[in-house]
Amino acid sequence: MRLKDMRLVEMNDKKFDFLIVLGATEQHGPFIPFGTDTYIIDHLVERLESIDPDLVVLPTMEFSRSEEHAGFPGTVYLRANTLKLVLRDICFSLKDVANKILITTFHHNEPYVLEFMKESELKNIFLLEVFDDQDDKKIEGLIDGPCDDHAGNTEICNMLAIDEKLVVRPKDDYRKVKIEEPFSEDDLSLKSKDGIADNHPEWRIDKEVGQKILDIYFERMVLNYKNIIGG
């Protein structure tokens, strides 16, 4: 259930498991929107609610640590310390009514969430992950090559499955530039002019593949969720 839809009487004398959802507002190249990471994590969380309708989901935070895309206009980001402070205040405000506080994200905020958890005096905070190296191998099999690091085949496929109206399909002759370690420096614009980091030699864009990839992410999310909550 969504916290913003609840009434005070539903909160009195009870404790809940809460979910903090971190999206992002950052460039995703010429083919998919700035809100791609937000659309994807919202899609996964909406499916998670059907697994546990008693989970209380906070409104999605659409800004997070996206400083690596600051070289592209339109990217809106929080610095790492700011993100951790925001998480601290949110968790502190929930501490008296929370059994567990979970934090999930599709954008790669995990290192900063883990830093925050380590520094926090609260011990009931957990990172709910959707990625796993084993899953990458499954996804690579679906597209016959490497997953993109940003704004390429897999994310375009995901967005096609979520809302194809928001996607412009790349033309076959749109050339991708191979980039080694695109985020070794904290500014992708130094290595990619169009904001894409995808070393797959071909475009593999397919709506059904996108849904299968989302299903892989969701299966991992549910597995990790059950490990945290129990059951």
Side-chain angles (χ1 to χ4, degrees), residues 43 47 157 161 206-216:
H43 169 87
R47 294 174 66 178
C157 289
D206 183 272
K207 181 177 181 178
E208 291 185 6
V209 168
Q211 187 58 59
K212 289 179 180 178
I213 295 171
L214 290 170
D215 290 344
I216 290 171

Side-chain angles (χ1 to χ4, degrees), residues 77-221:
Y77 62 89
L78 303 180
R79 287 176 290 184
N81 285 339
T82 305
L83 176 61
K84 290 191 288 183
L85 287 171
V86 171
L87 290 173
R88 185 195 68 179
D89 286 356
I90 292 173
C91 291
F92 188 81
S93 69
L94 296 173
K95 66 180 179 64
D96 293 332
V97 291
N99 288 317
K100 294 182 176 70
I101 301 172
L102 288 69
I103 303 172
T104 194
T105 183
F106 186 80
H107 178 64
H108 292 286
N109 290 298
E110 292 91 347
Y112 315 107
V113 174
L114 290 171
E115 286 178 14
F116 157 71
M117 290 168 55
K118 185 177 180 180
E119 296 166 2
S120 176
E121 63 188 54
L122 302 177
K123 302 307 176 187
N124 61 338
I125 305 171
F126 302 86
L127 173 61
L128 176 58
E129 297 185 89
V130 301
F131 298 114
D132 187 273
D133 291 342
Q134 295 179 359
D135 296 338
D136 285 348
K137 295 177 182 178
K138 297 178 185 177
I139 296 170
E140 288 169 1
L142 289 173
I143 60 174
D144 297 319
C147 303
D148 65 288
D149 284 297
H150 189 74
N153 283 328
T154 54
E155 288 195 308
I156 296 173
C157 289
N158 290 341
M159 283 305 301
L160 274 177
I162 291 171
D163 189 347
E164 58 186 317
K165 298 188 299 298
L166 296 173
V167 180
V168 176
R169 288 178 178 265
K171 295 182 178 179
D172 291 339
D173 61 354
Y174 189 98
R175 182 172 174 268
K176 287 186 283 186
V177 177
K178 188 170 184 178
I179 302 173
E180 300 297 338
E181 299 183 0
F183 299 109
S184 59
E185 299 176 72
D186 206 15
D187 187 351
L188 181 60
S189 68
L190 299 175
K191 296 186 176 184
S192 172
K193 292 182 178 180
D194 63 2
I196 295 174
D198 184 357
N199 288 342
H200 195 300
E202 300 177 7
W203 288 109
R204 296 294 176 91
I205 307 300
D206 183 272
K207 181 177 181 178
E208 291 185 6
V209 168
Q211 187 58 59
K212 289 179 180 178
I213 295 171
L214 290 170
D215 290 344
I216 290 171
Y217 294 144
F218 181 63
E219 288 173 9
R220 181 62 57 184
M221 179 185 240

Side-chain angles (χ1 to χ4, degrees), residues 22-88:
L22 298 180
T25 301
E26 61 184 32
Q27 73 80 24
H28 270 78
F31 305 119
I32 46 179
F34 280 79
T36 289
D37 291 341
T38 301
Y39 281 110
I40 293 173
I41 197 61
D42 280 346
H43 169 87
L44 297 174
V45 168
E46 185 174 347
R47 294 174 66 178
L48 183 65
E49 287 181 277
S50 67
I51 300 294
D52 186 356
D54 292 327
L55 176 68
V56 179
V57 180
L58 273 66
T60 302
M61 290 175 52
E62 298 201 19
F63 309 119
S64 57
R65 205 288 186 183
S66 299
E67 203 163 356
E68 66 274 19
H69 299 286
F72 296 96
T75 294
V76 180
Y77 62 89
L78 303 180
R79 287 176 290 184
N81 285 339
T82 305
L83 176 61
K84 290 191 288 183
L85 287 171
V86 171
L87 290 173
R88 185 195 68 179

